[in-house]
Amino acid sequence: MKQDIFQAIADPTRRAILTLLTIQALTPNVMAEKFDMSRQAVSKHIKVLHECELIRPEQSGREIYYHFNAKKMQEFDHWLAQFRQNWKTQFNQLDEVLSTIKEQKK
Amino acid sequence: MKQDIFQAIADPTRRAILTLLTIQALTPNVMAEKFDMSRQAVSKHIKVLHECELIRPEQSGREIYYHFNAKKMQEFDHWLAQFRQNWKTQFNQLDEVLSTIKEQKK
DNA sequence: GTAACTTGCAACCTTAAAGTTGCACAATTA
DNA sequence: TAATTGTGCAACTTTAAGGTTGCAAGTTAC
């Protein structure tokens, strides 16, 4: 089943894996040592991340090194763009400023 | 239960709600009309978004207008920052360039 | 060839999320 | 006061996610 990139990063373990792979490429076995769960559990997370192309496998003998695919992370950046405009401008709008002040008085 | 902002964004309906609220503040009833589901289902999504402060309620008589809280989306942006550095620099690193070329040849 | 190692797939269990229906409560309107 | 409207809460069902164990396939080392 094709995985949704937003659902892929919803899981804290998968976010931790992505951060690990930012430092260096790792094999499933090595990753599993970092977490308090079975190797197979980590392997399922890897499968999810691989299906939405957030990571990329590199076979080396009987070991598989997974690399972080930074390019794919830009999809989040593009999605955020629609909101970025909003959080930059909303504090220049009078009604928003007023409602913010009203909130703080409570 | 305290909600995780990443899990809140994982659901496509909730992302659609956020986009709607970017345009203008809406009441739960009006939101429900936009989607093919019951009002209570939408109300549960609103509850999730409210718990992690992605939206903010404004009572007006017996109606409640929910506003988009752009500020909270910056948390997501900050999390992305650790990867942004990566996707800007990785193509300047020789080993990455080489492995990319090797990938394309397959 | 045989044994050890690395990984992926399938079956299963448990828990939580997403949806539904029904009801209760506050605010408006007649 | 009584009826209507807008909203939230609770109970229930269904489905999927995250975890476990067991097994099979490919690779390396003896």
Side-chain angles (χ1 to χ4, degrees):
Chain A
M1 172 177 48
K2 185 65 171 64
Q3 282 287 341
D4 181 357
I5 190 173
F6 289 95
Q7 199 172 353
I9 65 154
D11 186 89
T13 300
R14 286 196 285 268
R15 289 201 299 276
I17 289 177
L18 288 178
T19 300
L20 272 182
L21 297 187
T22 299
I23 313 298
Q24 63 174 354
L26 296 173
T27 67
N29 256 340
V30 175
M31 291 188 224
E33 291 171 3
K34 309 280 186 180
F35 302 99
D36 190 24
M37 62 180 67
S38 68
R39 180 188 61 78
Q40 286 82 351
V42 173
S43 192
K44 285 178 81 171
H45 286 303
I46 291 175
K47 188 181 178 186
V48 172
L49 292 172
H50 182 208
E51 279 180 354
C52 60
E53 299 176 31
L54 279 169
I55 62 178
R56 166 179 54 82
E58 179 198 17
Q59 189 94 29
S60 172
R62 65 182 167 188
E63 292 179 332
I64 300 179
Y65 286 88
Y66 281 93
H67 294 257
F68 174 59
N69 183 16
K71 215 171 182 177
K72 199 69 179 181
M73 291 297 282
Q74 296 187 54
E75 285 193 12
F76 288 113
D77 211 44
H78 294 154
W79 178 75
L80 267 183
Q82 62 177 324
F83 303 111
R84 193 169 293 121
Q85 182 65 21
N86 195 283
W87 79 55
K88 280 181 180 172
T89 61
Q90 80 168 202
F91 296 107
N92 297 328
Q93 298 172 2
L94 183 59
D95 56 339
E96 282 292 335
V97 171
L98 291 177
S99 66
T100 300
I101 294 173
K102 197 167 64 180
E103 277 291 315
Q104 293 171 338
K105 281 188 179 176
K106 286 181 184 173
Chain B
M1 175 175 47
K2 185 64 172 60
Q3 281 286 341
D4 182 357
I5 186 176
F6 291 95
Q7 199 172 354
I9 289 174
D11 187 89
T13 301
R14 285 196 285 267
R15 289 202 298 277
I17 289 177
L18 287 178
T19 301
L20 272 182
L21 297 188
T22 299
I23 313 300
Q24 63 173 356
L26 296 173
T27 66
N29 255 339
V30 175
M31 291 187 223
E33 291 171 2
K34 309 280 186 178
F35 302 98
D36 191 22
M37 62 180 68
S38 68
R39 180 189 59 78
Q40 286 81 352
V42 174
S43 192
K44 285 179 82 171
H45 286 303
I46 292 175
K47 188 182 179 185
V48 172
L49 292 172
H50 183 207
E51 279 179 354
C52 60
E53 300 176 29
L54 278 169
I55 62 177
R56 167 179 53 82
E58 180 198 17
Q59 189 94 30
S60 172
R62 64 182 166 190
E63 292 181 333
I64 301 180
Y65 286 88
Y66 282 93
H67 294 257
F68 173 60
N69 182 18
K71 214 172 183 179
K72 199 68 180 181
M73 290 296 284
Q74 294 188 55
E75 282 193 13
F76 197 59
D77 204 48
H78 292 155
W79 177 77
L80 266 184
Q82 64 176 321
F83 304 110
R84 193 171 294 121
Q85 181 65 22
N86 195 283
W87 79 55
K88 280 181 180 172
T89 63
Q90 79 166 204
F91 297 106
N92 295 329
Q93 297 172 3
L94 184 59
D95 57 341
E96 282 291 336
V97 172
L98 291 176
S99 66
T100 300
I101 293 173
K102 197 167 65 179
E103 276 290 316
Q104 292 172 340
K105 281 187 177 176
K106 286 179 182 173

